[in-house]
Amino acid sequence: GAVVSQHPSWVICKSGTSVKIECRSLDFQATTMFWYRQFPKQSLMLMATSNEGSKATYEQGVEKDKFLINHASLTLSTLTVTSAHPEDSSFYICSALPLSTGRDGYTFGSGTRLTVV
Amino acid sequence: TQLLEQSPQFLSIQEGENLTVYCNSSSVFSSLQWYRQEPGEGPVLLVTVVTGGEVKKLKRLTFQFGDARKDSSLHITAAQPGDTGLYLCAGENSGTYKYIFGTGTRLKVLA
């Protein structure tokens, strides 16, 4: 089946630094990937839609200059948290939809736990 | 803003019992999905329902999409400890393939 790999699985960084998270589809191509964040004991909140070869679409309230998204190829999207602060600590998850399948093909990565100290 | 409310928020039951989780909204969705998530992992897709009134079965799990495509339910028969997890519904925004997640139901099945 389809596999989405996220890297790193966890990261600790100092306040003020930037962190890049990769979301890679291993055995399929995806023109669209989605980025979510999840706080402890809560549901997933959609942050942005990542489109291959074009600018990402951000949800209301998500700062595009703080959460930089790049989708340079059909198998890779990256999320960079710039000038991270402790309130950015969260579980970040990406999902991808294979080109060749319908909605049943949605696959999520295993997530990245970011801790900003 | 589309909101998906799930009920109950928490559920702790004994092995062998049946349960139903509800997902409600005032918005109409072009499709709805159900996921299960384990701690520290990404959600895993269980089912996608598209047609109003549609019923799908996955072993002991039965999913139903409301006639008006505003709500859905998940029924588990004879729950097992392996069913423990966070269950999430997600509604698709107007055929965009973009899904908004519900508030979640945390299920614990005791042996």
Side-chain angles (χ1 to χ4, degrees):
Chain A
V3 178
V4 172
S5 173
Q6 262 187 257
H7 180 81
S9 56
W10 61 271
V11 57
I12 302 173
C13 72
K14 290 186 177 181
S15 189
T17 61
S18 296
V19 174
K20 180 185 284 189
I21 302 170
E22 289 187 352
C23 179
R24 196 178 296 271
S25 56
L26 296 186
D27 49 2
F28 66 94
Q29 294 182 327
T31 55
T32 303
M33 294 184 178
F34 300 91
W35 286 96
Y36 295 83
R37 67 187 297 182
Q38 184 176 32
F39 291 108
K41 308 290 186 186
Q42 294 188 23
S43 184
L44 278 70
M45 185 192 82
L46 179 64
M47 297 176 67
T49 303
S50 173
N51 303 297
E52 188 267 337
S54 65
K55 291 183 179 180
T57 306
Y58 291 82
E59 294 300 301
Q60 192 173 10
V62 178
E63 298 175 61
K64 60 181 179 182
D65 294 330
K66 180 166 186 62
F67 299 99
L68 301 178
I69 292 172
N70 184 277
H71 195 153
S73 77
L74 287 172
T75 59
L76 176 64
S77 175
T78 60
L79 168 68
T80 301
V81 183
T82 63
S83 187
H85 291 286
E87 57 266 30
D88 298 324
S89 298
S90 187
F91 192 53
Y92 291 87
I93 315 175
C94 68
S95 72
L97 181 65
L99 285 174
S100 58
T101 70
R103 292 162 177 83
D104 286 337
Y106 261 108
T107 305
F108 277 77
S110 53
T112 297
R113 184 160 303 283
L114 169 64
T115 302
V116 184
V117 297
Chain B
T1 304
Q2 295 172 308
L3 293 174
L4 277 162
E5 295 283 342
Q6 286 184 236
S7 61
Q9 280 186 293
F10 305 97
L11 191 54
S12 181
I13 61 172
Q14 293 292 326
E15 182 177 5
E17 293 184 4
N18 302 332
L19 66 117
T20 302
V21 177
Y22 299 94
C23 173
N24 294 295
S25 176
S26 57
S27 302
V28 176
F29 296 103
S30 50
S31 71
L32 191 138
Q33 297 183 325
W34 283 92
Y35 290 83
R36 183 170 69 216
Q37 185 182 24
E38 307 277 348
E41 298 180 12
V44 174
L45 179 62
L46 298 173
V47 77
T48 302
V49 285
V50 179
T51 306
E54 182 176 2
V55 177
K56 281 192 174 179
K57 292 192 175 186
L58 182 65
K59 296 183 181 179
R60 295 176 292 101
L61 279 60
T62 302
F63 306 86
Q64 183 162 10
F65 201 12
D67 290 341
R69 290 184 288 128
K70 293 182 179 181
D71 53 80
S72 181
S73 63
L74 157 61
H75 183 78
I76 301 179
T77 303
Q80 298 176 0
D83 296 328
T84 293
L86 177 65
Y87 287 82
L88 296 158
C89 65
E92 182 185 1
N93 184 5
S94 304
T96 62
Y97 289 92
K98 185 169 75 172
Y99 283 82
I100 306 301
F101 278 75
T103 49
T105 294
R106 201 166 293 277
L107 171 66
K108 187 168 187 178
V109 183
L110 304 169

